[in-house]
């Protein structure tokens, strides 16, 4: 007789969602910002990728939204322990944006309007794992959640998903961002509970 056991490998929820260790599910969408919400209009919004050799690739709003879009549905995990399942976004994948960017860099430092930064390995932005998101639930992304556009990297803790994103600097050496310099984990994998340095 086969012994079927459920629930011993992470907490399986209705709809196939799983909760990483130490997290709880929330239904609302909390707002977490380290400073005031920058107000950036779509007319002035620009997104710039700078390579390790100083080459710049820039997109304005019309150019961003003219690119083929995707509508990922993903679970979010914040280091303050809330997780939100099945969020609906619209945006452009980083694969699309970085397709014509020549680089030998292994690291990325993401910059936001307002000065926030966060770092991650370049490969974590590729292969369908990250987007520049500009809609949430089919509507324009609200300013408090990072509009006009934010980075969305749902496989890492949500502090990596920089709101009000303005650019990505490609680097040959890893450089810590805002929270990473303040003691948070350099990588931030929620499944390995990498909250703080040393985790
Ligand atoms: N520019 C910027 N991006 C940011 C932050 C911030 O303070 N500034 N906070 C981060 C943190 S800690 C979290 S949990 C998420 C929160 O996103 P939300 O406010 O849309 O829930 O944004 C991340 N991105
Ligand atoms: Mo967070």
């Amino acid at each position: 007789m086969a012994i079927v056991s459920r629930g011993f490998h992470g907490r399986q929820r209705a709809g196939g969602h799983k909760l990483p260790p130490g997290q709880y599910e929330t239904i609302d969408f909390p707002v977490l910002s380290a400073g005031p919400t920058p107000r950036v209009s779509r007319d002035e919004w620009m997104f710039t990728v700078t390579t390790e050799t100083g080459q710049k690739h820039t997109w304005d709003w019309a150019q961003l939204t003219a690119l083929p879009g995707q509508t990922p549905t993903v679970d979010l995990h914040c280091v303050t322990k809330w997780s939100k399942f099945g969020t609906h976004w619209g945006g452009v994948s980083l694969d699309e944006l970085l397709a014509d960017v020549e680089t030998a860099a292994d690291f990325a430092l993401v910059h936001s309007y307002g000065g926030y930064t966060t770092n991650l390995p370049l490969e974590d932005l590729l292969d369908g794992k990250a987007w520049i998101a500009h809609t949430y639930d089919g509507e324009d992304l609200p300013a408090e959640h990072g509009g006009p556009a934010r980075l969305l990297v749902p496989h890492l803790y949500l502090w990596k998903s920089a709101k009000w994103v303005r650019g990505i600097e490609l680097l040959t050496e890893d450089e810590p961002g805002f929270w990473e310099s303040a003691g948070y984990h350099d990588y931030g994998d929620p499944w390995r509970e990498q909250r703080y340095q040393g985790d």
Side-chain angles (χ1 to χ4, degrees), residues 89-100:
W89 301 84
V92 177
S93 83
L94 264 296
D95 297 297
E96 187 72 49
L97 290 160
L98 294 176
D100 295 328

Side-chain angles (χ1 to χ4, degrees), residues 107-122:
F107 301 98
L109 184 62
V110 185
H111 295 263
S112 294
Y113 289 95
Y116 184 86
T117 54
T118 188
N119 61 303
L120 67 174
L122 176 55

Side-chain angles (χ1 to χ4, degrees), residues 59-70 91-93 96-97 134:
W59 294 261
D60 64 16
W61 192 259
Q63 290 167 326
L64 177 83
T65 52
L67 292 171
Q70 294 183 355
V92 177
S93 83
E96 187 72 49
L97 290 160
H134 56 78

Side-chain angles (χ1 to χ4, degrees), residues 86-163:
T87 59
H88 302 290
W89 301 84
V92 177
S93 83
L94 264 296
D95 297 297
E96 187 72 49
L97 290 160
L98 294 176
D100 295 328
V101 174
E102 266 186 52
T103 181
D106 288 325
F107 301 98
L109 184 62
V110 185
H111 295 263
S112 294
Y113 289 95
Y116 184 86
T117 54
T118 188
N119 61 303
L120 67 174
L122 176 55
E123 64 179 9
D124 286 82
L125 292 175
L126 301 174
D127 295 326
K129 294 198 290 289
W131 297 266
I132 300 298
H134 56 78
T135 73
Y136 178 76
D137 250 349
E139 310 277 351
D140 291 350
L141 181 62
E144 67 267 26
H145 287 300
R150 78 183 294 170
L151 182 65
L152 177 66
V153 202
H155 71 288
L156 300 176
Y157 280 125
L158 199 57
W159 88 76
K160 300 286 183 181
S161 293
K163 303 197 284 187

Side-chain angles (χ1 to χ4, degrees), residues 50-86:
T50 309
T51 72
E52 72 281 8
T53 62
Q55 267 211 311
K56 289 184 191 299
H57 302 253
T58 299
W59 294 261
D60 64 16
W61 192 259
Q63 290 167 326
L64 177 83
T65 52
L67 292 171
Q70 294 183 355
T71 53
T73 296
V74 297
D75 299 342
L76 307 178
H77 309 293
C78 174
V79 73
T80 63
K81 301 200 168 178
W82 58 267
S83 291
K84 183 171 174 60
F85 291 147

